[in-house]
Amino acid sequence: MEGGEWRNNIINQLRARNKRETFAFQDIFTFQSRLFDNVNTLKNENLQLTLVNERIRYSNTESVSSGGGIVNEKIQALEQKVLSQQEELTSLHRRRGESSQQIINLNAKVHDLEKNLQAKDIIISENTALIASLRAEIQMYENNMTELQGLNQVLRDEHQALQIAFAAIEDKLRKAQDENRSLVERLIKYKAKDADKMNEENEHFLKSSNPTAFLINTFGRVSFGKKSDKVKKELEEAAREGGSRSSGSGGSDDKIMDSLPYYATSLPNKVALRFDAHDGEVNAVKWSPTDRIVATGGADRKVKLWDVSKCTSENRGTLVGSNAGVMSVDFDSTGAFIVGASNDFASRVWTVGDQRLRCENPGNFLEIKSQIPWGLFAL
């Protein structure tokens, strides 16, 4: 419907313009048609006069012998009339030629105008197609802008929610750090007390001449489960026997060392899972503290995450950004961040969730720790 309307509109405009431009030459057209009519009438009159002339000549030849003067006068009058008609016919022919030349010129102008009109029609059609394509493109851009506005609003909401969650996690972290600090202080105090007791026992040992008594005093406070009483008795008997024997004999000491309990350890004898982690050497491996995820660093300048929870190696992602082989990897205490050190004198921190590079600082990991707002890496 829209294409038919603009086509009809263009046709109506062209007709109006044609009528407006040909109105100035309407007199010429009417004059030309009138000239054609006059020419036709004059031709007919000329033909009739020719017939009359022939009749007069024929009658003149018959009446020459009588010598009528009246007939000669009529002939002269008719000849003059024929001459005047011929002159008028000549002038009409001249005017006809001029009118024909004007018509030719006007036809040439009309032809040029038609060419210009066709060129303008082509330009109009091209512009119409261009306008349609631009309108479609504008509509597409408007739809994209609407979608981007909606996505921007969603991202703002998510950012606000993440800020709230970050504030809550930061409070929890601060409380955990305070608790950790207090526990470390208590541990230092207990270690100081243990060190004081150990120093006292060492002094007592240096004062004592019997090393077996020191062993009894030391191991007597150690509980070995069901064998602790038996071992204690054997140590006491060995101490008594050691008092009567010479200090140079080492049999009692060997007996005491043989009687000490030991715990058996089992070593793995088969491989549970084997997989190709990198395109080259694997330089570092680290378990995640919160999930069964293994991080590996290799000579191919990549850090890869592997899920080994089902005894199968499933690649969880590849962390890129290093300019040399990765030599060491480590997780933070929450398992949310991972740090990698490479041979390009730089350390980089990625987030495990979205696997994006968060910060990069060549050569100084302490500055990277200061750039992370969470401060979760224990250095």
Side-chain angles (χ1 to χ4, degrees):
M1 291 296 294
E2 186 178 356
E5 289 179 358
W6 69 262
R7 191 177 289 108
N8 293 329
N9 190 10
I10 291 173
I11 291 171
N12 293 328
Q13 290 180 2
L14 291 175
R15 287 176 179 175
R17 190 182 68 177
N18 190 15
K19 185 177 179 181
R20 186 176 60 253
E21 291 181 355
T22 57
F23 180 76
F25 305 99
Q26 192 67 32
D27 296 336
I28 296 173
F29 294 153
T30 54
F31 182 71
Q32 183 185 3
S33 62
R34 196 178 299 165
L35 283 176
F36 279 118
D37 295 336
N38 292 329
V39 167
N40 291 327
T41 55
L42 289 174
K43 283 182 179 180
N44 293 326
E45 291 179 358
N46 190 10
L47 184 59
Q48 291 175 2
L49 290 173
T50 304
L51 292 173
V52 171
N53 192 10
E54 291 294 330
R55 288 176 184 175
I56 291 171
R57 286 178 181 178
Y58 181 73
S59 62
N60 191 13
T61 54
E62 290 180 355
S63 60
V64 169
S65 59
S66 60
I70 298 171
V71 176
N72 292 327
E73 291 178 358
K74 288 181 178 181
I75 290 171
Q76 290 177 358
L78 290 173
E79 287 178 354
Q80 290 179 357
K81 190 175 182 179
V82 168
L83 290 174
S84 64
Q85 292 292 331
Q86 287 179 353
E87 290 177 356
E88 187 176 359
L89 181 62
T90 303
S91 64
L92 289 174
H93 280 297
R94 189 185 305 112
R95 293 175 65 182
R96 179 186 176 185
E98 293 175 355
S99 300
S100 300
Q101 186 64 34
Q102 289 180 359
I103 290 170
I104 292 170
N105 295 331
L106 291 174
N107 287 328
K109 289 182 180 179
V110 170
H111 187 65
D112 294 336
L113 291 174
E114 286 178 353
K115 286 184 178 179
N116 294 330
L117 181 62
Q118 290 177 357
K120 289 181 180 179
D121 289 337
I122 294 171
I123 293 171
I124 288 170
S125 61
E126 291 177 354
N127 291 330
T128 304
L130 181 61
I131 288 169
S133 63
L134 290 175
R135 284 179 180 175
E137 190 174 358
I138 288 169
Q139 185 67 30
M140 182 184 66
Y141 286 147
E142 287 179 353
N143 295 331
N144 291 335
M145 185 176 67
T146 305
E147 292 177 358
L148 289 174
Q149 287 177 353
L151 182 60
N152 190 14
Q153 186 64 33
V154 171
L155 290 175
R156 286 181 180 176
D157 296 338
E158 290 181 356
H159 179 67
Q160 188 175 2
L162 289 174
Q163 282 184 343
I164 295 171
F166 171 70
I169 292 172
E170 199 170 21
D171 293 335
K172 290 182 181 179
L173 176 63
R174 193 179 296 108
K175 292 178 182 178
Q177 286 178 350
D178 295 336
E179 186 178 357
N180 188 17
R181 193 179 298 108
S182 63
L183 290 174
V184 169
E185 291 177 356
R186 290 173 61 185
L187 179 62
I188 291 172
K189 290 180 181 179
Y190 289 145
K191 290 292 183 182
K193 290 180 181 180
D194 291 340
D196 293 337
K197 289 182 180 181
M198 186 62 70
N199 291 329
E200 291 177 359
E201 291 176 356
N202 290 332
E203 290 177 359
H204 182 68
F205 171 74
L206 293 174
K207 292 178 182 179
S208 177
S209 61
N210 191 358
T212 308
F214 175 73
L215 289 174
I216 294 172
N217 188 19
T218 302
F219 290 101
R221 295 189 298 269
V222 180
S223 177
F224 296 104
K226 294 181 180 179
K227 296 183 179 180
S228 61
D229 296 335
K230 183 179 179 181
V231 173
K232 188 175 181 180
K233 289 180 181 180
E234 291 179 355
L235 289 174
E236 290 177 355
E237 292 176 359
R240 293 192 203 99
E241 293 176 358
S244 61
R245 295 179 182 178
S246 62
S247 60
S249 63
S252 62
D253 295 337
D254 295 336
K255 185 178 181 181
I256 293 171
M257 296 304 293
D258 293 335
S259 64
L260 291 177
Y262 65 93
Y263 299 95
T265 59
S266 61
L267 296 175
N269 54 10
K270 65 178 182 179
V271 178
L273 177 62
R274 183 183 182 279
F275 57 94
D276 295 332
H278 293 271
D279 298 335
E281 298 178 354
V282 179
N283 299 327
V285 179
K286 189 69 177 181
W287 281 91
S288 173
T290 59
D291 200 357
R292 295 184 67 83
I293 295 177
V294 177
T296 60
D300 56 356
R301 302 177 297 176
K302 297 177 182 177
V303 177
K304 294 185 179 181
L305 302 176
W306 305 92
D307 186 2
V308 294
S309 59
K310 299 179 181 179
C311 291
T312 57
S313 60
E314 181 182 356
N315 190 358
R316 282 292 188 87
T318 302
L319 311 178
V320 297
S322 297
N323 298 323
V326 179
M327 304 303 295
S328 178
V329 293
D330 195 3
F331 289 91
D332 67 319
S333 59
T334 63
F337 292 87
I338 184 171
V339 63
S342 60
N343 279 334
D344 59 351
F345 305 101
S347 300
R348 296 170 179 84
V349 177
W350 295 269
T351 51
V352 180
D354 55 2
Q355 300 174 6
R356 293 177 58 189
L357 181 63
R358 292 299 180 183
C359 58
E360 175 182 1
N361 198 351
N364 192 351
F365 183 69
L366 294 175
E367 295 185 4
I368 291 182
K369 180 188 175 186
S370 64
Q371 294 176 6
I372 302 175
W374 296 271
L376 298 176
F377 288 96
L379 295 178

Coordinates of all heavy atoms in Angstrom, one line a residue, residues 262-341:
Y262 N 55.9 -47.5 67.4 CA 56.0 -46.8 66.1 C 54.7 -47.1 65.3 O 54.0 -48.1 65.7 CB 57.2 -47.3 65.3 CG 57.1 -48.8 64.9 CD1 56.6 -49.2 63.7 CD2 57.6 -49.7 65.8 CE1 56.6 -50.5 63.3 CE2 57.6 -51.1 65.4 CZ 57.0 -51.5 64.2 OH 57.0 -52.8 63.9
Y263 N 54.4 -46.3 64.4 CA 53.2 -46.4 63.6 C 53.5 -46.7 62.2 O 54.3 -46.0 61.6 CB 52.4 -45.1 63.7 CG 52.0 -44.8 65.1 CD1 52.8 -43.9 65.9 CD2 50.9 -45.4 65.7 CE1 52.4 -43.6 67.2 CE2 50.5 -45.1 67.0 CZ 51.3 -44.2 67.8 OH 51.0 -43.9 69.1
A264 N 52.8 -47.7 61.6 CA 53.1 -48.1 60.2 C 52.4 -47.1 59.3 O 51.3 -46.7 59.5 CB 52.6 -49.5 60.0
T265 N 53.0 -46.8 58.2 CA 52.4 -46.0 57.1 C 52.4 -46.8 55.8 O 53.2 -47.6 55.6 CB 53.3 -44.7 56.9 OG1 54.6 -45.1 56.5 CG2 53.4 -43.9 58.2
S266 N 51.3 -46.5 55.1 CA 51.1 -47.2 53.8 C 51.3 -46.2 52.7 O 50.8 -45.1 52.7 CB 49.7 -47.8 53.7 OG 48.7 -46.7 53.8
L267 N 52.1 -46.6 51.7 CA 52.3 -45.8 50.5 C 51.4 -46.3 49.3 O 51.1 -47.5 49.2 CB 53.8 -45.9 50.1 CG 54.8 -45.4 51.1 CD1 56.2 -45.7 50.6 CD2 54.6 -43.9 51.3
P268 N 51.0 -45.3 48.5 CA 50.1 -45.8 47.3 C 50.9 -46.6 46.4 O 52.1 -46.3 46.1 CB 49.7 -44.4 46.7 CG 50.7 -43.5 47.2 CD 51.1 -43.9 48.5
N269 N 50.3 -47.6 45.8 CA 50.9 -48.5 44.9 C 50.4 -48.4 43.5 O 50.8 -49.2 42.6 CB 50.9 -49.9 45.4 CG 49.4 -50.4 45.7 OD1 48.5 -49.7 45.3 ND2 49.3 -51.5 46.3
K270 N 49.4 -47.6 43.2 CA 48.8 -47.5 41.9 C 48.3 -46.0 41.6 O 48.0 -45.3 42.6 CB 47.7 -48.5 41.6 CG 46.5 -48.3 42.4 CD 45.4 -49.3 42.0 CE 44.2 -49.1 42.9 NZ 43.1 -50.0 42.5
V271 N 48.2 -45.7 40.4 CA 47.8 -44.3 40.0 C 46.3 -44.3 39.9 O 45.7 -45.1 39.2 CB 48.4 -43.9 38.7 CG1 47.9 -42.5 38.3 CG2 49.9 -43.9 38.8
A272 N 45.6 -43.4 40.6 CA 44.1 -43.3 40.6 C 43.7 -42.5 39.3 O 42.6 -42.9 38.8 CB 43.6 -42.6 41.8
L273 N 44.4 -41.5 38.9 CA 44.0 -40.7 37.8 C 45.2 -40.1 37.1 O 46.1 -39.6 37.8 CB 43.0 -39.6 38.2 CG 42.5 -38.6 37.1 CD1 41.7 -39.4 36.1 CD2 41.7 -37.5 37.7
R274 N 45.2 -40.1 35.8 CA 46.3 -39.6 35.0 C 45.7 -38.8 33.8 O 44.8 -39.4 33.2 CB 47.3 -40.6 34.5 CG 48.5 -40.0 33.8 CD 49.4 -41.2 33.3 NE 50.5 -40.7 32.6 CZ 50.5 -40.2 31.3 NH1 49.4 -40.2 30.6 NH2 51.7 -39.8 30.8
F275 N 46.2 -37.6 33.6 CA 45.7 -36.8 32.4 C 46.7 -35.8 32.0 O 47.6 -35.5 32.8 CB 44.4 -36.1 32.8 CG 44.5 -35.1 34.0 CD1 44.8 -33.8 33.8 CD2 44.3 -35.6 35.2 CE1 44.9 -32.9 34.8 CE2 44.4 -34.7 36.3 CZ 44.7 -33.4 36.1
D276 N 46.7 -35.4 30.7 CA 47.6 -34.5 30.2 C 47.1 -33.1 30.5 O 46.0 -32.7 29.9 CB 47.8 -34.7 28.7 CG 48.4 -36.0 28.4 OD1 49.2 -36.5 29.2 OD2 48.1 -36.6 27.3
A277 N 47.8 -32.3 31.3 CA 47.3 -31.0 31.7 C 47.7 -29.9 30.8 O 47.0 -29.0 30.6 CB 47.7 -30.7 33.2
H278 N 49.0 -30.0 30.3 CA 49.5 -28.8 29.5 C 50.2 -29.4 28.3 O 50.6 -30.5 28.2 CB 50.4 -28.0 30.4 CG 49.8 -27.3 31.5 ND1 49.2 -26.0 31.4 CD2 49.5 -27.7 32.8 CE1 48.7 -25.7 32.6 NE2 48.9 -26.7 33.4
D279 N 50.5 -28.4 27.4 CA 51.3 -28.7 26.2 C 52.8 -28.5 26.5 O 53.4 -27.7 25.9 CB 50.8 -27.8 25.0 CG 49.4 -28.0 24.7 OD1 48.9 -29.1 24.9 OD2 48.8 -27.0 24.1
G280 N 53.2 -29.3 27.4 CA 54.6 -29.2 27.8 C 54.8 -29.6 29.3 O 54.0 -30.4 29.8
E281 N 55.8 -29.0 30.0 CA 56.0 -29.4 31.3 C 55.0 -28.8 32.3 O 54.5 -27.7 32.1 CB 57.4 -28.9 31.7 CG 58.6 -29.5 30.9 CD 59.9 -29.0 31.3 OE1 59.9 -28.0 32.2 OE2 60.9 -29.5 30.8
V282 N 54.7 -29.6 33.3 CA 53.8 -29.1 34.4 C 54.7 -28.7 35.6 O 55.4 -29.5 36.1 CB 52.8 -30.2 34.8 CG1 51.9 -29.7 36.0 CG2 51.9 -30.6 33.7
N283 N 54.7 -27.4 35.9 CA 55.6 -26.8 36.9 C 55.0 -26.7 38.3 O 55.7 -26.7 39.3 CB 56.1 -25.4 36.4 CG 56.8 -25.5 35.1 OD1 57.5 -26.5 34.8 ND2 56.7 -24.5 34.3
A284 N 53.7 -26.6 38.4 CA 53.0 -26.4 39.7 C 51.7 -27.1 39.7 O 51.0 -27.1 38.8 CB 52.9 -24.9 40.0
V285 N 51.3 -27.6 40.9 CA 50.0 -28.2 41.2 C 49.5 -27.8 42.6 O 50.3 -27.7 43.5 CB 50.1 -29.8 41.1 CG1 48.7 -30.4 41.4 CG2 50.5 -30.2 39.8
K286 N 48.2 -27.4 42.7 CA 47.7 -27.0 43.9 C 46.2 -27.4 44.1 O 45.5 -27.2 43.1 CB 47.8 -25.4 44.1 CG 47.5 -24.9 45.5 CD 48.5 -25.3 46.5 CE 48.3 -24.7 47.8 NZ 49.3 -25.1 48.8
W287 N 45.9 -27.9 45.2 CA 44.5 -28.2 45.5 C 43.7 -27.0 46.0 O 44.3 -26.2 46.8 CB 44.4 -29.3 46.6 CG 44.6 -30.7 46.1 CD1 45.8 -31.4 46.0 CD2 43.6 -31.6 45.5 NE1 45.7 -32.6 45.5 CE2 44.3 -32.8 45.2 CE3 42.3 -31.5 45.3 CZ2 43.7 -33.9 44.6 CZ3 41.6 -32.6 44.8 CH2 42.3 -33.8 44.4
S288 N 42.4 -26.9 45.7 CA 41.6 -25.9 46.2 C 41.2 -26.2 47.6 O 40.9 -27.3 47.9 CB 40.3 -25.7 45.3 OG 39.5 -24.8 45.9
P289 N 41.2 -25.2 48.5 CA 40.9 -25.5 49.9 C 39.4 -25.7 50.2 O 39.0 -26.2 51.2 CB 41.3 -24.2 50.7 CG 41.3 -23.2 49.7 CD 41.6 -23.8 48.3
T290 N 38.5 -25.4 49.2 CA 37.1 -25.5 49.5 C 36.4 -26.5 48.5 O 35.3 -26.9 48.8 CB 36.4 -24.1 49.3 OG1 36.7 -23.7 48.0 CG2 37.0 -23.2 50.3
D291 N 37.0 -26.9 47.5 CA 36.4 -27.8 46.5 C 37.4 -28.7 45.9 O 38.6 -28.5 46.0 CB 35.8 -26.9 45.4 CG 34.7 -27.7 44.6 OD1 34.5 -28.9 44.9 OD2 34.1 -27.1 43.7
R292 N 36.9 -29.8 45.3 CA 37.8 -30.8 44.7 C 38.3 -30.3 43.3 O 37.9 -30.9 42.3 CB 37.2 -32.1 44.6 CG 36.9 -32.7 46.0 CD 36.3 -34.1 45.9 NE 37.3 -35.1 45.4 CZ 38.2 -35.7 46.1 NH1 38.3 -35.5 47.4 NH2 39.1 -36.5 45.5
I293 N 39.0 -29.2 43.3 CA 39.5 -28.6 42.1 C 41.0 -28.5 42.2 O 41.5 -28.1 43.2 CB 38.9 -27.2 41.8 CG1 37.4 -27.3 41.6 CG2 39.6 -26.5 40.6 CD1 36.7 -26.0 41.4
V294 N 41.7 -28.9 41.1 CA 43.2 -28.9 41.1 C 43.6 -27.8 40.1 O 43.0 -27.7 39.0 CB 43.7 -30.2 40.7 CG1 45.2 -30.1 40.6 CG2 43.3 -31.3 41.7
A295 N 44.5 -26.9 40.5 CA 45.0 -25.9 39.6 C 46.4 -26.3 39.2 O 47.2 -26.7 40.1 CB 45.1 -24.6 40.3
T296 N 46.7 -26.3 37.9 CA 48.0 -26.6 37.4 C 48.6 -25.5 36.6 O 47.9 -24.8 35.9 CB 48.0 -27.9 36.5 OG1 47.1 -27.6 35.4 CG2 47.4 -29.1 37.3
G297 N 49.9 -25.3 36.7 CA 50.6 -24.3 35.9 C 51.7 -24.9 35.1 O 52.4 -25.8 35.6
G298 N 51.8 -24.6 33.9 CA 52.8 -25.2 33.0 C 53.7 -24.3 32.2 O 53.6 -23.1 32.3
A299 N 54.5 -24.9 31.4 CA 55.4 -24.1 30.5 C 54.7 -23.5 29.3 O 55.3 -22.7 28.6 CB 56.5 -25.0 30.0
D300 N 53.4 -23.8 29.1 CA 52.7 -23.2 28.0 C 52.0 -21.9 28.4 O 51.1 -21.4 27.7 CB 51.6 -24.1 27.5 CG 50.7 -24.6 28.6 OD1 50.9 -24.2 29.8 OD2 49.7 -25.3 28.3
R301 N 52.5 -21.3 29.5 CA 52.1 -19.9 30.0 C 50.6 -19.9 30.4 O 50.0 -18.9 30.3 CB 52.3 -18.9 28.9 CG 53.8 -18.8 28.5 CD 53.9 -17.8 27.4 NE 53.2 -18.2 26.2 CZ 53.1 -17.5 25.1 NH1 53.7 -16.3 25.0 NH2 52.5 -17.9 24.0
K302 N 50.0 -21.0 30.8 CA 48.6 -21.1 31.2 C 48.5 -21.7 32.6 O 49.3 -22.5 33.0 CB 47.8 -21.9 30.2 CG 47.8 -21.3 28.8 CD 47.1 -22.2 27.8 CE 47.1 -21.7 26.4 NZ 46.5 -22.6 25.4
V303 N 47.4 -21.3 33.2 CA 47.0 -21.9 34.5 C 45.6 -22.6 34.2 O 44.7 -21.9 33.8 CB 46.8 -20.9 35.6 CG1 46.3 -21.6 36.9 CG2 48.2 -20.2 35.9
K304 N 45.5 -23.9 34.5 CA 44.3 -24.6 34.1 C 43.6 -25.1 35.4 O 44.4 -25.5 36.4 CB 44.5 -25.7 33.2 CG 45.0 -25.3 31.8 CD 45.2 -26.4 30.8 CE 45.6 -26.0 29.4 NZ 45.7 -27.1 28.5
L305 N 42.3 -25.1 35.4 CA 41.6 -25.7 36.6 C 40.9 -27.0 36.1 O 40.3 -27.1 35.1 CB 40.5 -24.7 37.0 CG 41.0 -23.3 37.4 CD1 39.8 -22.4 37.7 CD2 41.9 -23.3 38.6
W306 N 41.0 -28.0 37.0 CA 40.6 -29.3 36.7 C 39.6 -29.8 37.8 O 40.0 -29.7 39.0 CB 41.7 -30.3 36.5 CG 42.7 -29.9 35.5 CD1 43.8 -29.2 35.7 CD2 42.6 -30.2 34.1 NE1 44.5 -29.0 34.5 CE2 43.8 -29.6 33.5 CE3 41.8 -30.9 33.3 CZ2 44.1 -29.7 32.2 CZ3 42.0 -31.0 31.9 CH2 43.2 -30.4 31.4
D307 N 38.5 -30.4 37.5 CA 37.6 -31.0 38.4 C 37.8 -32.5 38.5 O 37.6 -33.2 37.5 CB 36.1 -30.7 38.0 CG 35.1 -31.2 39.0 OD1 35.6 -31.7 40.1 OD2 33.9 -31.0 38.8
V308 N 38.3 -33.0 39.6 CA 38.6 -34.4 39.8 C 37.7 -35.0 40.8 O 38.1 -36.0 41.5 CB 40.1 -34.6 40.2 CG1 41.0 -34.1 39.1 CG2 40.4 -33.8 41.4
S309 N 36.5 -34.5 41.0 CA 35.6 -35.0 42.0 C 35.1 -36.4 41.7 O 34.7 -37.2 42.6 CB 34.4 -34.1 42.2 OG 33.7 -33.9 41.0
K310 N 35.0 -36.8 40.4 CA 34.4 -38.1 40.0 C 35.5 -39.0 39.4 O 35.3 -39.8 38.6 CB 33.4 -37.9 39.0 CG 32.2 -37.1 39.5 CD 31.1 -36.9 38.4 CE 30.0 -36.0 39.0 NZ 28.9 -35.8 37.9
C311 N 36.8 -38.8 39.9 CA 37.9 -39.5 39.4 C 38.1 -39.4 37.9 O 38.5 -40.3 37.2 CB 37.8 -41.0 39.8 SG 38.0 -41.3 41.5
T312 N 37.6 -38.3 37.3 CA 37.8 -37.9 35.9 C 38.3 -36.5 35.9 O 38.0 -35.7 36.7 CB 36.5 -38.1 35.1 OG1 35.5 -37.2 35.7 CG2 36.0 -39.5 35.1
S313 N 39.1 -36.2 34.9 CA 39.7 -34.9 34.7 C 38.8 -34.1 33.8 O 38.7 -34.3 32.6 CB 41.1 -35.0 34.1 OG 41.0 -35.6 32.8
E314 N 38.0 -33.1 34.4 CA 37.2 -32.2 33.6 C 37.7 -30.8 33.7 O 37.9 -30.3 34.8 CB 35.8 -32.3 34.1 CG 34.8 -31.4 33.4 CD 33.4 -31.4 34.0 OE1 33.2 -32.2 34.9 OE2 32.5 -30.6 33.5
N315 N 38.0 -30.2 32.5 CA 38.6 -28.9 32.5 C 37.6 -27.9 32.9 O 36.6 -27.7 32.2 CB 39.2 -28.6 31.1 CG 40.0 -27.4 31.1 OD1 40.2 -26.7 32.1 ND2 40.6 -27.0 29.9
R316 N 37.8 -27.1 34.0 CA 36.9 -26.1 34.4 C 37.3 -24.7 33.8 O 36.5 -23.8 33.9 CB 37.0 -26.0 35.9 CG 36.2 -27.1 36.6 CD 34.7 -26.9 36.4 NE 33.9 -27.8 37.2 CZ 33.5 -27.5 38.4 NH1 33.8 -26.4 39.0 NH2 32.7 -28.4 39.1
G317 N 38.4 -24.6 33.2 CA 38.7 -23.3 32.6 C 40.2 -23.1 32.5 O 41.0 -23.9 33.1
T318 N 40.6 -22.2 31.6 CA 42.0 -21.9 31.4 C 42.2 -20.4 31.7 O 41.6 -19.5 31.1 CB 42.4 -22.2 29.9 OG1 42.1 -23.6 29.7 CG2 43.9 -21.9 29.7
L319 N 43.2 -20.1 32.5 CA 43.5 -18.7 32.9 C 44.8 -18.3 32.1 O 45.8 -18.9 32.2 CB 43.8 -18.6 34.4 CG 42.7 -19.3 35.3 CD1 43.1 -19.2 36.8 CD2 41.4 -18.7 35.1
V320 N 44.6 -17.2 31.3 CA 45.7 -16.8 30.5 C 46.1 -15.4 30.9 O 45.4 -14.7 31.6 CB 45.2 -16.8 29.0 CG1 44.9 -18.2 28.5 CG2 44.0 -15.9 28.8
G321 N 47.2 -15.0 30.4 CA 47.7 -13.6 30.7 C 49.2 -13.6 31.0 O 49.8 -12.5 30.9
S322 N 49.8 -14.8 31.2 CA 51.2 -14.8 31.6 C 52.0 -14.7 30.3 O 51.6 -15.3 29.2 CB 51.5 -16.1 32.3 OG 50.9 -16.1 33.6
N323 N 53.2 -14.1 30.4 CA 54.1 -14.0 29.2 C 55.2 -15.0 29.2 O 56.1 -15.0 28.4 CB 54.7 -12.6 29.2 CG 53.6 -11.5 29.0 OD1 52.6 -11.7 28.3 ND2 53.7 -10.4 29.6
A324 N 55.2 -15.9 30.2 CA 56.3 -16.9 30.3 C 55.6 -18.1 31.1 O 54.5 -18.1 31.5 CB 57.5 -16.4 31.0
G325 N 56.4 -19.2 31.2 CA 55.9 -20.3 31.9 C 55.5 -20.1 33.4 O 56.2 -19.3 34.1
V326 N 54.4 -20.6 33.8 CA 53.9 -20.5 35.2 C 54.7 -21.5 36.1 O 54.6 -22.7 35.8 CB 52.4 -20.7 35.2 CG1 51.9 -20.5 36.7 CG2 51.7 -19.7 34.3
M327 N 55.3 -21.0 37.1 CA 56.2 -21.8 38.0 C 55.5 -22.1 39.3 O 55.9 -23.1 40.0 CB 57.5 -21.1 38.2 CG 58.3 -20.7 37.0 SD 58.6 -22.2 35.9 CE 59.7 -23.1 37.0
S328 N 54.5 -21.3 39.7 CA 53.9 -21.6 41.0 C 52.4 -21.1 41.0 O 52.2 -20.0 40.4 CB 54.6 -20.9 42.1 OG 54.0 -21.1 43.4
V329 N 51.5 -21.8 41.6 CA 50.1 -21.4 41.8 C 49.7 -21.6 43.2 O 50.2 -22.5 43.9 CB 49.2 -22.2 40.8 CG1 49.5 -21.8 39.4 CG2 49.3 -23.7 41.0
D330 N 48.7 -20.9 43.6 CA 48.1 -21.0 45.0 C 46.8 -20.4 45.1 O 46.5 -19.4 44.4 CB 49.1 -20.4 46.0 CG 48.8 -20.8 47.4 OD1 47.9 -21.7 47.6 OD2 49.4 -20.3 48.4
F331 N 45.9 -21.0 45.9 CA 44.5 -20.5 46.1 C 44.6 -19.6 47.4 O 45.5 -19.7 48.2 CB 43.5 -21.6 46.3 CG 43.2 -22.3 45.1 CD1 43.9 -23.5 44.7 CD2 42.1 -21.9 44.3 CE1 43.6 -24.2 43.6 CE2 41.8 -22.6 43.1 CZ 42.6 -23.7 42.8
D332 N 43.5 -18.7 47.5 CA 43.3 -18.0 48.8 C 42.6 -18.9 49.7 O 42.2 -20.1 49.4 CB 42.6 -16.7 48.6 CG 41.2 -17.0 48.1 OD1 41.0 -17.9 47.3 OD2 40.3 -16.2 48.6
S333 N 42.3 -18.5 51.0 CA 41.7 -19.3 52.0 C 40.3 -19.6 51.7 O 39.7 -20.6 52.2 CB 41.8 -18.6 53.3 OG 41.1 -17.4 53.3
T334 N 39.6 -18.8 50.8 CA 38.2 -19.1 50.5 C 38.0 -19.8 49.2 O 36.9 -20.2 48.8 CB 37.4 -17.8 50.4 OG1 38.0 -17.0 49.3 CG2 37.5 -17.0 51.7
G335 N 39.1 -20.0 48.4 CA 39.0 -20.7 47.1 C 38.4 -19.8 46.0 O 38.2 -20.3 44.9
A336 N 38.2 -18.5 46.2 CA 37.6 -17.7 45.2 C 38.7 -17.0 44.3 O 38.4 -16.6 43.2 CB 36.8 -16.6 45.9
F337 N 39.9 -16.9 44.8 CA 41.0 -16.3 44.0 C 42.1 -17.3 43.9 O 42.4 -18.2 44.7 CB 41.5 -15.0 44.7 CG 40.5 -13.9 44.7 CD1 39.6 -13.8 45.7 CD2 40.5 -13.0 43.7 CE1 38.7 -12.8 45.7 CE2 39.6 -11.9 43.7 CZ 38.6 -11.9 44.7
I338 N 42.9 -17.1 42.8 CA 44.1 -17.9 42.5 C 45.2 -17.0 42.0 O 44.9 -16.1 41.2 CB 43.8 -19.1 41.5 CG1 45.0 -20.0 41.4 CG2 43.3 -18.5 40.2 CD1 44.7 -21.2 40.6
V339 N 46.4 -17.3 42.5 CA 47.5 -16.5 42.1 C 48.5 -17.4 41.4 O 48.7 -18.5 41.7 CB 48.2 -15.8 43.4 CG1 48.7 -16.8 44.3 CG2 49.3 -14.8 42.9
G340 N 49.2 -16.8 40.4 CA 50.2 -17.5 39.6 C 51.4 -16.7 39.4 O 51.3 -15.5 39.1
A341 N 52.6 -17.3 39.6 CA 53.9 -16.6 39.4 C 54.6 -17.2 38.2 O 54.7 -18.5 38.1 CB 54.7 -16.7 40.7

